[in-house]
Amino acid sequence: MSLFWRIFSLNAAGLVVAAALLLGPVSVSTPVLPAEALVVVAGLALLLVANALVLRLGLAPLHRLGRAMAAADLLRPGARAVVAGPAEAAELITTYNTMLDRLQSERAAGAARALSAQERERHRIARELHDEVGQTLTAVLLQLKRVADRVPAELREDVGQAQEATRAGLDEIRRIARRLRPGVLEELGLVSALRSLAAEFTTHGLTVRHHVPAEAPPLTEESELVLYRVAQEGLTNTARHAGADRAEITLHALSYGVELVVRDNGKGVGDCPEGAGIRGMRERALLVGAELAVGPGPDGGTEIRLRVPAGAAGGR
């Protein structure tokens, strides 16, 4: 029954009873006797309680809908308001859920286009860094080597420092290019890419271990790229913000897909709001219908868990 007919029926029943009492043998004395006043007050109280109960039950689904709308997050799909209550409330909740489905679908499509354009721009910048800036620095390094053989002895130390600075800049350019365009992922596959990523982030203050099988389950190129980028972003956050000295990457197959776990022993996420890095990981996960969970690890620190469903897997 709709909320309108519930309230109307209750009010109509109260008015019909009141009219029947007025037209019937029941009368009210003048002055009003205490017993008669008690009966009138009790009837009025009963009518008010019934009205409040009907309104409470009828408006409860709208309150739940309001809480669901306040907590809605397009980056966390699947949460929907429960369809219940009177016809008007149920129709409103159903419409809201349909709108949320459409918004998430449109957001996922838009994010896919944006991230695809971003990857193309990454490849272009990496190619220009490698082909133009890298080659220029290589030529400068060779020229400095020739100059170092002919300069006076008192200037050789300065030329050597210039060589070291140029060599360090060239290494940094190559490192940036590798992060922008994971050539090892395209050429050798996901397993080699994750192992290379662990070695790249292993520095004097951070040790990254990997538990990656010899062969990864068959995945699409989009799924492999999402797995690699999530692992890369997770290790970047660990190196920059976590204050950790140990981290690990784990990849294993599940009955319903593939799971990637990036875990460290740092200070954890705490109550800090999610930054652009985690939001970017969530958007990438949406592209392949994956589930991303970010929270504390079993032994402290931060744990990033990405589950790619079997529907996103397939032959390359």
Side-chain angles (χ1 to χ4, degrees):
M1 184 183 297
S2 68
L3 182 61
F4 169 79
W5 284 112
R6 290 186 186 188
I7 299 177
F8 177 79
S9 300
L10 180 61
N11 289 331
L15 293 175
V16 168
V17 171
L21 291 176
L22 290 176
L23 297 176
V26 179
S27 61
V28 179
S29 304
T30 305
V32 180
L33 298 175
E36 295 173 344
L38 182 61
V39 171
V40 172
V41 171
L44 179 61
L46 182 62
L47 184 61
L48 293 176
V49 169
N51 268 285
L53 182 61
V54 170
L55 289 175
R56 174 67 66 181
L57 295 177
L59 296 179
L62 298 181
H63 290 299
R64 291 196 298 268
L65 176 62
R67 291 193 296 269
M69 294 174 69
D73 188 352
L74 295 180
L75 294 179
R76 293 178 173 85
R80 294 292 182 270
V82 178
V83 179
E88 297 93 334
E91 183 179 358
L92 179 61
I93 296 173
T94 302
T95 303
Y96 167 74
N97 289 339
T98 303
M99 180 193 68
L100 206 58
D101 292 337
R102 186 176 67 253
L103 288 177
Q104 287 187 340
S105 176
E106 293 175 355
R107 181 186 179 91
R113 292 191 296 269
L115 291 176
S116 177
Q118 184 184 78
E119 288 296 330
R120 290 195 299 269
E121 188 67 11
R122 283 171 179 259
H123 285 196
R124 185 188 66 81
I125 295 175
R127 185 172 57 253
E128 291 183 358
L129 286 175
H130 183 273
D131 296 343
E132 298 181 11
V133 181
Q135 290 182 5
T136 300
L137 289 179
T138 301
V140 171
L141 193 60
L142 294 175
Q143 186 66 25
L144 286 174
K145 185 178 184 304
R146 287 194 295 268
V147 171
D149 297 334
R150 298 194 299 267
V151 297
E154 62 271 14
L155 295 178
R156 288 180 182 175
E157 183 178 356
D158 295 336
V159 175
Q161 292 178 355
Q163 285 180 294
E164 291 300 322
T166 304
R167 187 175 292 107
L170 181 59
D171 292 340
E172 183 67 15
I173 289 295
R174 289 171 176 171
R175 184 183 64 83
I176 294 174
R178 285 196 303 270
R179 289 193 178 185
L180 289 173
R181 181 176 180 269
V184 66
L185 176 63
E186 299 176 356
E187 297 169 4
L188 301 179
L190 180 63
V191 171
S192 297
L194 292 178
R195 292 175 177 175
S196 175
L197 196 63
E200 179 183 349
F201 278 90
T202 297
T203 61
H204 297 292
L206 178 64
T207 301
V208 181
R209 298 180 179 179
H210 61 79
H211 306 281
V212 182
E215 294 184 3
L219 297 168
T220 63
E221 293 183 1
E222 292 79 6
S223 299
E224 288 191 351
L225 183 60
V226 168
L227 288 165
Y228 178 84
R229 290 300 187 194
V230 169
Q232 184 184 49
E233 184 63 33
L235 291 179
T236 300
N237 290 340
T238 296
R240 291 180 180 177
H241 310 297
D245 59 4
R246 296 193 312 275
E248 64 179 15
I249 302 176
T250 304
L251 179 72
H252 56 271
L254 301 174
S255 59
Y256 55 86
V258 180
E259 182 179 61
L260 171 73
V261 179
V262 182
R263 184 183 297 138
D264 63 54
N265 66 338
K267 58 185 179 181
V269 293
D271 296 330
C272 298
E274 293 186 355
I278 296 180
R279 289 197 299 270
M281 287 191 286
R282 293 194 184 281
E283 289 183 351
R284 289 184 181 278
L286 288 177
L287 297 181
V288 293
E291 297 179 3
L292 180 74
V294 180
D299 301 322
T302 303
E303 180 182 86
I304 299 172
R305 192 175 294 270
L306 177 68
R307 295 189 178 103
V308 180
R316 297 193 65 181

